Each structure stands twice: as structure tokens, then as C-alpha cells.
């Protein structure tokens, strides 16, 4: 017997639906989706995870960690910066990146914990 994963009749809680629709500001949802889009790339997630483990890393460190050229690492780091997920500082000829704030670190840690829990189940 196949279990159905949808309602067999159409009905909805009008009060709850209206309340939630009012809370969903399209721009906020788009901004949230962009965060996940940026992290949906495996290379950028590796970089974000590495940055969640260290306070900061230079572009060369990141390139070695992900096994790429510095140009590729810079490209991904720049995208994370433009998305508001990372920030950088220049020291002489070196550029160091870090995650923008604790919220980003929490997202990475939660994703990591969740993926580990999924493996165990």
C-alpha cells in the first residue's frame, strides 16, 4: 500500500494562512533564499565551513584547503563577501577572510550538525 503524502481533501486554516502571508515580505524571502543559494555550492560550503572553524584564513590558505588556484578561491570568497556572508581585510600583500558574523557561523554549524544527524538515522 502506498502512503499518500498530501491531503485527500482541500481545506485550510484561513486565520493561520492569512497571518503567515502577512509576515512573508517578498524581499526578505528573496534575501534568505540568496543566502542558501550561495551556500548550495559545494566549494563555497567547504570555504564557509573552513572559515567557521578558524577566525580567519588568507586566500592562499583557502585555495590549499579546497584544492584550487588562488584565483578560484578568490572568486568564491568574493561571492560570499558580496552575499554578506564573509568579510575581508588586507594586510600588506595578503588578504584575510572571515565569516561576517555569528549568525553565519551558526548557519554553518547547524547545517553540519543536521547532516551528521541524517547520517546516523
Amino acid at each position: 500500500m502506498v502512503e499518500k503524502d498530501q491531503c485527500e481533501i482541500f481545506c485550510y486554516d484561513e486565520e493561520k494562512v492569512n497571518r503567515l502571508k502577512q509576515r512573508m515580505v517578498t524581499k526578505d524571502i528573496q534575501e534568505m533564499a540568496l543566502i542558501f543559494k550561495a551556500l548550495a555550492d559545494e566549494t563555497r560550503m567547504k570555504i564557509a565551513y573552513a572559515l567557521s572553524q578558524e577566525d580567519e584564513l588568507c586566500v592562499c590558505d583557502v585555495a590549499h584547503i579546497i584544492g584550487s588556484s588562488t584565483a578560484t578561491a578568490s572568486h568564491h570568497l568574493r561571492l560570499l563577501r558580496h552575499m554578506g556572508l564573509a568579510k575581508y581585510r588586507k594586510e600588506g600583500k595578503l588578504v584575510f577572510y572571515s565569516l561576517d558574523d555569528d549568525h553565519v557561523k551558526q548557519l554553518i554549524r547547524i547545517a553540519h550538525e543536521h547532516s551528521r544527524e541524517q547520517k546516523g538515522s
Side-chain angles (χ1 to χ4, degrees), residues 29-81:
I29 297 296
Q30 288 171 344
E31 295 290 325
M32 291 169 21
L34 286 174
I35 291 169
F36 287 102
K37 182 178 180 179
L39 294 174
D41 179 85
E42 187 175 342
T43 300
R44 288 191 293 274
M45 182 54 88
K46 285 179 184 177
I47 293 169
Y49 179 75
L51 290 173
S52 76
Q53 301 300 301
E54 293 290 330
D55 286 337
E56 64 180 10
L57 294 167
C58 82
V59 175
C60 299
D61 292 335
V62 171
H64 275 81
I65 290 166
I66 64 172
S68 76
S69 66
T70 55
T72 297
S74 289
H75 168 76
H76 287 290
L77 286 160
R78 195 175 308 112
L79 194 145
L80 290 171
R81 181 170 54 93

